[in-house]
């Protein structure tokens, strides 16, 4: 007798008729006839979580992405049912669950469709690996656009694109190449002036199709795991992004020096070369706060060691650099050289800390040191051990910060450029293969690094950088966009990537200024610096194979332009620090794409170049050679040209002149922009006076200045200074009210206020309802006055 024992290929499977429904507090459960369970959790009035189990059993509820401090809460929930659907209502949305198919439709309270399933949830059994490929398809509404998804090297608007999340070492990647270094499975949909967001919290290889395969369909799927996603309703994009950022978390405030200008190269060595670079910065008076040491500082690329030939006394060198105002940042990779005489390898081997293959042997792969083994950072015991390894680097040698690279993990000369898929991981007590752990490996490495750096730089604040990331990594680390190329196209890519990362919860980001691979000419380098000083993380980094890339590596004209813009960065540090505080406190992205800034203006939906730096500065880089200016879109409202003082009306495209020494910069009318004096490094000077540039507006505008001790944790005990300003402008009068909070006493006692764009001559001045003379406030012909920092009300007429 012959028996056919082949497995039946079932193809896509779908939920059937609902046969059971129950409610448990804020959770709703719907069970289908064929054993699918839909769980809907109401998180907030405008946010919910959706999970599906395919055989009546959910996977353990565990995620690395979700912040333990995310907020929850809602007014009330109402539930009802019709002949065709179950209905859940909050004070913001109505959720309809189809009884025949478990498909979901979400509407606002006016009955407008926000988001609806097409085929909805379906799955396909995975006979090769076990488990399921889980899928979701939704209707793309008429005119819908899509944004977010992390560091994708493509147009800001993802309509018509297909993207993938599998963190990958992509040296010299190209425009539209995907995947890259980060997995951020979060997107924002926008249609009919309504914004919503979806976060697909699944660490397997995930895929998103934004009406690429089918014109009116959006779909996302994963190679394993659960269909588990979060839904956020706006209707404003800012509410969506802030809700997602709250869910996945924000970092602590960094030390202020981390927001300065940083210089890096693969590699600065020996010690004499490092000292030479540092001296040149100070000689040329180009501000810089940090110098980076790439892998060549190590002994044979062994992590946590020093090459004693190139760096005979690291502690002395780092101390001498610090005396000149430079912090030292060193690289640490995950690959640990296979060497039984190497103490880190021996400890990991003895404690069984390395990742293993499915059948037991330790996973090995080639990286810079040669054959390496890789700690399993998804094991909490390994993370604790790894954190302790930083003691010698930081406590003994004096290193200030750490840079994690190659942590996808990158493995050379193998298909896929990473660990084999059968590599095993602890996954914090939920054992799994590399298929599930790959996208979070780098995140868990930098998490361990963050804990170690935080412990050993205390009472200072930690500063950590990572290349690989999954959603939520921003809680531990800054990031950059990886190994880019010195081309004009990559300057454009860097601009859209950092905007997208900010919209995706990862605001502390930047690019390798000037390009990592190949060599920029002076014009490209200058234009890239002009963009880079407006990125939250500001660092020049380049390959050692392609020439020098310091600010003075080109000609005197370029050096002067670079100095001018780095000085502008340092002047704007209080503004940038305030941006960071708002990001930490409220989840506000530090850079705002124009569509985020004004989604109701449909002209913004496909803009890529222009962005808002913080709340009130409009920036548009020059992204082509030989340009004397460019056309750009100015968003609605009134804006002051930073260079010329011209006031322009927005809501239209304009030609803006910008020769090699300028880029278009506009300040929102009514803004109050704080400035520090130029410093060669943070802390070089005592801030004796805070400058406030006040840009006239006939109307009302709010501005904020946040300051604290610039390092340490006293700010968490109320030791901060928060100045909220309300500007009210009239045709012949300007009123500024200040509302002060916090107990930090700033080192300066006066504010120098520059009034810009005033349509009238100052004749009368009142401070706190008392008339003062022009001499009292040192009024000069440039409409500048000096007042006590604690004033409550200032009126000029």
């Amino acid at each position: 007798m012959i028996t056919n024992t082949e497995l039946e290929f079932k193809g896509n499977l779908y939920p059937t008729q609902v046969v059971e429904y129950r409610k448990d507090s804020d959770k709703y459960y719907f069970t289908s006839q064929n054993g699918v369970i839909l769980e809907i959790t109401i998180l907030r009035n405008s946010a919910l979580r959706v999970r599906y189990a395919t055989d009546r059993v959910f996977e353990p509820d565990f995620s690395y992405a979700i912040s333990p401090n995310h907020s929850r809460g809602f007014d009330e929930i109402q539930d009802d049912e019709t002949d065709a659907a179950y209905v859940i209502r909050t004070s913001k949305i109505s959720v309809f669950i189809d009884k025949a198919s478990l498909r979901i439709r979400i509407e606002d309270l006016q009955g407008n469709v926000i988001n609806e399933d097409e085929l909805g949830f379906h799955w396909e059994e995975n006979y090769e690996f076990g488990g399921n490929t889980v899928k979701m398809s939704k209707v793309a509404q008429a005119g819908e656009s899509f944004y977010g998804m992390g560091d994708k090297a493509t147009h800001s608007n993802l309509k018509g694109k297909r993207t993938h999340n599998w963190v990958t070492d992509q040296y010299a990647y190209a425009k539209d190449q995907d995947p890259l270094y980060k997995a951020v499975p979060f997107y924002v949909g926008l249609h009919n002036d309504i914004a919503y967001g979806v976060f697909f919290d699944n660490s397997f290889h995930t895929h998103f199709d934004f009406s690429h395969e089918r014109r009116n369909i959006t779909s996302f799927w994963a190679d394993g795991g659960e269909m588990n996603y979060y839904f956020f309703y706006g209707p404003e994009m800012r509410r969506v992004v802030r809700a997602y950022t709250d869910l996945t978390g924000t970092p602590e405030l960094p030390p202020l020096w981390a927001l300065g200008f940083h210089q890096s190269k693969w590699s600065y060595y020996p010690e004499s070369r490092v000292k030479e670079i540092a001296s040149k910065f100070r000689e040329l008076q180009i501000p810089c706060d940090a110098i980076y040491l790439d892998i060549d500082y190590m002994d044979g690329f062994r992590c946590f060691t020093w090459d004693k030939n190139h760096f005979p006394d690291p502690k002395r060198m780092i101390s001498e650099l610090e005396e000149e105002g430079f912090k030292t940042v060193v690289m640490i990779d995950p690959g640990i050289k296979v060497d039984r005489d190497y103490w880190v390898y021996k400890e990991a081997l003895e404690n069984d800390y390395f990742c293993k293959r499915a059948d037991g042997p330790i996973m090995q792969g080639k990286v810079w040191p040669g054959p390496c083994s890789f700690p399993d950072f998804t094991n909490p015991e390994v993370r604790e051990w790894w954190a302790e390894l930083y003691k010698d680097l930081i406590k003994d040698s004096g290193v200030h910060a750490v840079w994690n690279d190659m942590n996808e993990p990158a493995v050379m000369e193998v298909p896929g450029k990473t660990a084999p898929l059968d590599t095993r991981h602890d996954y914090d007590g939920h054992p799994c293969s590399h298929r599930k752990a790959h996208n979070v490996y780098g995140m868990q490495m930098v998490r361990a690094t963050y804990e170690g750096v935080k412990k050993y730089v205390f009472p200072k604040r930690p500063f950590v950088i990572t290349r690989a990331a999954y959603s939520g990594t921003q809680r531990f680390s800054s990031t950059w966009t990886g190994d880019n190329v010195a081309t004009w196209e990559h300057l454009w890519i860097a601009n859209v990537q950092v905007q997208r990362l900010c919209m995706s919860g990862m605001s502390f980001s930047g690019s390798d200024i000037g390009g990592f691979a190949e060599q920029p000419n002076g014009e490209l380098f200058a234009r890239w610096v002009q963009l880079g000083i407006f990125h939250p993380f500001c660092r020049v980094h380049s390959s050692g194979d392609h020439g020098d890339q310091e600010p003075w590596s080109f000609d005197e004209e370029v050096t002067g332009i670079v100095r001018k813009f780095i000085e502008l960065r340092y002047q704007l540090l209080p503004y940038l620090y305030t941006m960071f505080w708002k990001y930490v406190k409220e989840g506000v992205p530090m850079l705002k794409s124009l569509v985020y800034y004004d989604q109701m203006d449909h002209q913004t939906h496909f803009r890529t170049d222009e962005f808002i730096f913080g709340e009130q500065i409009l920036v548009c880089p020059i992204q082509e050679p030989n340009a004397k200016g460019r056309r750009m879109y100015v968003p609605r409202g009134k804006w002051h040209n930073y260079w010329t003082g011209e006031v322009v009306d927005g809501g239209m495209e304009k030609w803006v002149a910008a020769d090699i020494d300028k880029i278009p910069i506009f300040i929102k009318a009514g803004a109050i922009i704080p400035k520090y004096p130029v410093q060669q490094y943070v802390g070089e000077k005592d801030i004796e006076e805070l400058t406030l540039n006040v840009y006239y507006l006939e109307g009302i505008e709010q501005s904020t200045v946040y300051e604290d001790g610039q390092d340490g944790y006293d700010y968490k005990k109320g030791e901060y200074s928060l100045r909220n300003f309300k500007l009210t402008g009239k045709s012949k009068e300007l009123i500024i009210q200040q509302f002060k909070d916090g107990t930090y006493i700033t080192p300066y006692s006066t504010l120098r206020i520059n009034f810009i764009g005033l349509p009238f001559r100052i004749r009368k001045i009142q401070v706190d309802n008392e008339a003062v003379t022009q001499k009292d406030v040192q009024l000069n012909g440039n409409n500048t006055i000096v007042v006590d920092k604690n004033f409550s009300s200032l009126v000029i007429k």
Side-chain angles (χ1 to χ4, degrees):
M1 181 177 71
I2 298 175
T3 303
N4 184 354
T5 59
E6 290 184 5
L7 289 169
E8 176 188 0
F9 177 71
K10 299 175 183 177
N12 283 328
L13 302 170
Y14 298 84
T16 53
Q17 180 77 30
V18 175
V19 294
E20 182 183 336
Y21 156 69
R22 67 183 176 91
K23 176 184 177 183
D24 183 5
S25 184
D26 56 356
K27 295 181 184 293
Y28 293 81
Y29 296 91
F30 308 88
T31 305
S32 73
Q33 192 173 33
N34 61 343
V36 175
I37 302 176
L38 164 62
E39 175 192 90
I40 296 180
T41 306
I42 306 301
L43 303 174
R44 302 165 84 169
N45 295 323
S46 56
L48 51 89
R49 181 187 183 192
V50 180
R51 297 176 74 196
Y52 294 87
T54 57
D55 195 18
R56 289 185 168 86
V57 179
F58 286 100
E59 294 187 357
D61 192 7
F62 176 79
S63 171
Y64 286 119
I66 307 305
S67 167
N69 301 316
H70 76 275
S71 58
R72 293 187 62 173
F74 44 83
D75 299 332
E76 62 174 330
I77 314 173
Q78 298 177 345
D79 46 78
D80 195 3
E81 66 177 291
T82 67
D83 291 343
Y86 296 97
V87 186
I88 306 169
R89 289 188 174 91
T90 74
S91 62
K92 297 287 187 181
I93 56 176
S94 298
V95 184
F96 298 83
I97 300 94
D98 184 71
K99 292 181 176 179
S101 63
L102 285 183
R103 292 174 189 166
I104 296 173
R105 183 176 79 256
I106 303 173
E107 298 178 355
D108 65 17
L109 299 186
Q110 289 71 46
N112 300 306
V113 174
I114 305 167
N115 184 258
E116 60 183 322
D117 289 355
E118 184 240 2
L119 295 176
F121 171 63
H122 48 295
W123 75 98
E124 188 175 342
E125 294 180 0
N126 190 324
Y127 294 119
E128 182 180 2
F129 294 104
N132 300 315
T133 300
V134 292
K135 308 176 183 181
M136 173 61 66
S137 65
K138 293 179 173 289
V139 175
Q141 305 297 323
E144 186 163 2
S145 294
F146 304 93
Y147 307 91
M149 297 297 296
D151 64 344
K152 305 303 182 187
T154 192
H155 196 286
S156 299
N157 192 328
L158 295 166
K159 182 69 172 283
K161 305 285 187 181
R162 176 177 283 190
T163 69
H164 310 273
N165 289 314
W166 183 255
V167 296
T168 304
D169 177 10
Q170 292 285 23
Y171 173 79
Y173 55 91
K175 181 182 178 184
D176 296 323
Q177 186 168 351
D178 193 48
L180 297 180
Y181 301 94
K182 296 164 189 67
V184 186
F186 164 72
Y187 72 87
V188 179
L190 175 63
H191 62 83
N192 302 308
D193 299 329
I194 296 172
Y196 69 91
V198 170
F199 170 43
F200 182 23
D201 189 10
N202 183 309
S203 64
F204 283 82
H205 193 160
T206 55
H207 317 262
F208 288 75
D209 187 300
F210 299 104
S211 301
H212 172 79
E213 181 176 336
R214 291 188 288 165
R215 179 170 171 266
N216 297 316
I217 306 301
T218 298
S219 56
F220 49 93
W221 62 102
D223 292 354
E226 273 188 352
M227 176 52 61
N228 169 33
Y229 71 89
Y230 293 80
F231 177 87
F232 313 97
Y233 167 58
E236 301 88 2
M237 290 182 73
R238 61 183 176 85
R239 293 184 184 275
V240 173
V241 172
R242 289 168 70 172
Y244 164 76
T245 306
D246 174 76
L247 181 71
T248 55
T250 56
E252 296 179 312
L253 276 173
L256 187 61
W257 68 262
L259 300 181
F261 175 78
H262 298 184
Q263 183 70 38
S264 180
K265 183 179 183 177
W266 181 25
S267 288
Y268 287 134
Y269 70 93
E271 176 186 323
S272 59
R273 178 61 175 157
V274 178
K275 291 290 200 66
E276 178 187 344
I277 295 295
S279 297
K280 195 72 172 178
F281 270 103
R282 298 298 178 244
E283 174 192 338
L284 296 178
Q285 292 287 283
I286 299 172
C288 182
D289 261 283
I291 290 181
Y292 287 58
L293 302 181
D294 209 310
I295 53 176
D296 293 291
Y297 81 89
M298 304 175 190
D299 176 14
F301 306 130
R302 295 170 179 83
C303 293
F304 304 101
T305 68
W306 290 91
D307 182 331
K308 292 299 185 178
N309 291 320
H310 290 149
F311 299 95
D313 190 346
K315 183 175 183 178
R316 173 189 49 77
M317 179 194 73
I318 292 168
S319 176
E320 290 172 355
L321 287 171
E322 189 168 17
E323 289 176 6
E324 297 298 319
F326 291 96
K327 304 296 191 294
T328 301
V329 184
V330 300
M331 177 186 282
I332 291 290
D333 290 346
I336 301 301
K337 183 177 176 62
V338 175
D339 177 358
R340 289 184 178 271
D341 294 325
Y342 169 32
W343 64 278
V344 177
Y345 179 81
K346 284 175 61 179
E347 282 188 14
L349 192 66
E350 290 167 0
N351 289 286
D352 197 22
Y353 287 160
F354 287 128
C355 296
K356 294 182 178 179
R357 302 293 295 272
D359 293 328
I362 292 173
M363 177 257 157
Q364 287 190 7
K366 180 182 177 184
V367 202
W368 304 118
C372 289
S373 297
F374 296 80
D376 180 11
F377 296 109
T378 71
N379 183 333
E381 187 178 338
V382 174
R383 290 198 300 270
E384 187 174 338
W385 164 76
W386 187 260
E388 290 299 314
L389 295 179
Y390 286 101
K391 181 180 179 181
D392 289 347
L393 273 181
I394 296 170
K395 275 291 186 187
D396 297 343
S397 296
V399 164
H400 299 89
V402 174
W403 162 28
N404 285 166
D405 194 18
M406 303 291 285
N407 54 340
E408 290 71 29
V411 178
M412 300 171 178
E413 299 176 6
V414 297
K417 300 187 286 189
T418 193
L421 295 183
D422 73 336
T423 302
R424 313 307 294 175
H425 296 272
D426 179 77
Y427 214 89
D428 277 69
H430 308 89
C432 68
S433 74
H434 199 66
R435 295 176 65 239
K436 182 176 182 179
H438 172 81
N439 278 338
V440 301
Y441 183 85
M443 175 195 197
Q444 295 310 298
M445 177 191 181
V446 81
R447 175 185 178 184
T449 296
Y450 165 78
E451 293 297 342
V453 174
K454 182 176 181 178
K455 179 177 181 178
Y456 290 112
V457 300
F458 188 83
K460 304 296 186 181
R461 302 176 199 163
F463 173 53
V464 179
I465 311 156
T466 185
R467 188 169 75 177
Y470 183 70
S471 292
T473 304
Q474 67 269 12
R475 302 196 299 273
F476 315 114
S477 178
S478 63
T479 191
W480 86 105
T481 59
D483 294 344
N484 56 9
V485 187
T487 64
W488 290 96
E489 181 175 75
H490 262 271
L491 176 57
W492 178 89
I493 291 171
N495 186 12
V496 296
Q497 279 182 306
V498 176
Q499 288 182 53
R500 193 193 308 280
L501 282 165
C502 288
M503 191 182 289
S504 305
M506 294 185 177
S507 274
F508 200 1
S509 58
S511 69
D512 283 346
I513 294 174
F516 177 77
E518 302 182 14
Q519 175 78 355
N521 61 24
E523 181 187 14
L524 175 58
F525 183 74
R527 291 302 195 190
W528 210 316
V529 168
Q530 290 169 347
L531 169 65
I533 68 115
F534 291 105
H535 283 166
F537 176 50
C538 181
R539 180 186 72 163
V540 169
H541 182 52
S542 61
S543 166
D545 297 330
H546 300 104
D548 293 333
Q549 210 158 295
E550 292 76 41
W552 53 84
S553 300
F554 302 94
D555 56 41
E556 288 188 11
E557 180 186 30
V558 170
T559 302
I561 293 167
V562 169
R563 180 190 296 110
K564 168 183 170 179
F565 275 85
I566 294 176
E567 286 178 347
L568 177 59
R569 168 94 175 187
Y570 277 75
Q571 288 177 300
L572 289 173
L573 279 177
Y575 180 84
L576 180 57
Y577 199 51
T578 302
M579 288 163 49
F580 211 113
W581 172 77
K582 288 186 177 180
Y583 166 53
V584 171
K585 184 177 176 64
E586 302 173 11
V588 177
M590 295 175 71
L591 303 188
K592 300 167 182 63
S593 302
L594 290 196
V595 65
Y596 177 101
Y597 182 75
D598 188 359
Q599 73 187 54
M600 305 301 285
D601 179 359
H602 295 186
Q603 295 297 320
T604 68
H605 291 195
F606 283 86
R607 306 302 305 197
T608 58
D609 298 354
E610 309 88 345
F611 60 91
I612 306 296
F613 177 65
E615 306 283 344
Q616 298 163 320
I617 299 180
L618 170 65
V619 179
C620 187
I622 301 294
Q623 299 174 142
E624 60 183 17
N626 306 314
K628 300 293 184 181
R630 63 162 296 158
R631 290 194 68 80
M632 63 173 286
Y633 188 75
V634 180
R636 295 185 296 185
K638 288 189 177 294
W639 299 84
H640 294 250
N641 186 312
Y642 178 80
W643 306 108
T644 69
E646 176 191 7
V647 181
V648 302
D649 289 312
M652 64 182 73
E653 277 199 355
K654 292 184 69 68
W655 167 265
V656 181
D659 209 339
I660 183 64
D661 63 336
K662 294 180 177 68
I663 61 169
I665 302 172
F666 290 84
I667 312 298
K668 186 180 182 184
I672 297 177
I673 306 295
K675 280 189 168 184
Y676 283 162
V678 173
Q679 304 175 79
Q680 294 308 300
Y681 56 91
V682 168
E684 181 201 21
K685 297 178 180 178
D686 291 329
I687 308 301
E688 297 177 348
E689 193 169 66
L690 179 67
T691 297
L692 299 177
N693 284 351
V694 177
Y695 292 84
Y696 174 79
L697 167 72
E698 189 167 345
I700 296 174
E701 178 70 13
Q702 308 277 350
S703 300
T704 303
V705 181
Y706 173 87
E707 296 172 285
D708 60 24
Q710 303 181 357
D711 208 341
Y713 293 93
D714 285 348
Y715 76 96
K716 292 190 172 184
K717 304 171 186 175
E719 289 281 326
Y720 61 83
S721 167
L722 181 63
R723 303 178 189 277
N724 290 303
F725 295 104
K726 179 182 179 182
L727 177 145
T728 304
K730 302 177 182 179
S731 60
K732 294 185 178 181
E733 183 180 62
L734 191 67
I735 303 169
I736 300 175
Q737 296 169 283
Q738 178 180 200
F739 307 92
K740 181 79 167 55
D741 189 21
T743 61
Y744 176 69
I745 299 174
T746 58
Y748 54 83
S749 58
T750 56
L751 303 172
R752 180 171 295 274
I753 302 179
N754 299 325
F755 295 101
I756 298 169
L758 281 182
F760 58 86
R761 181 180 176 187
I762 300 176
R763 298 181 184 275
K764 296 181 180 179
I765 304 170
Q766 288 182 346
V767 179
D768 295 340
N769 299 317
E770 292 188 7
V772 297
T773 68
Q774 296 182 1
K775 185 177 180 180
D776 290 335
V777 293
Q778 304 175 36
L779 176 66
N780 62 31
N782 294 321
N783 284 339
T784 298
I785 66 174
V786 177
V787 299
D788 185 275
K789 67 179 180 181
N790 293 319
F791 80 89
S792 297
S793 175
L794 172 65
V795 181
I796 63 168
K797 299 179 180 180

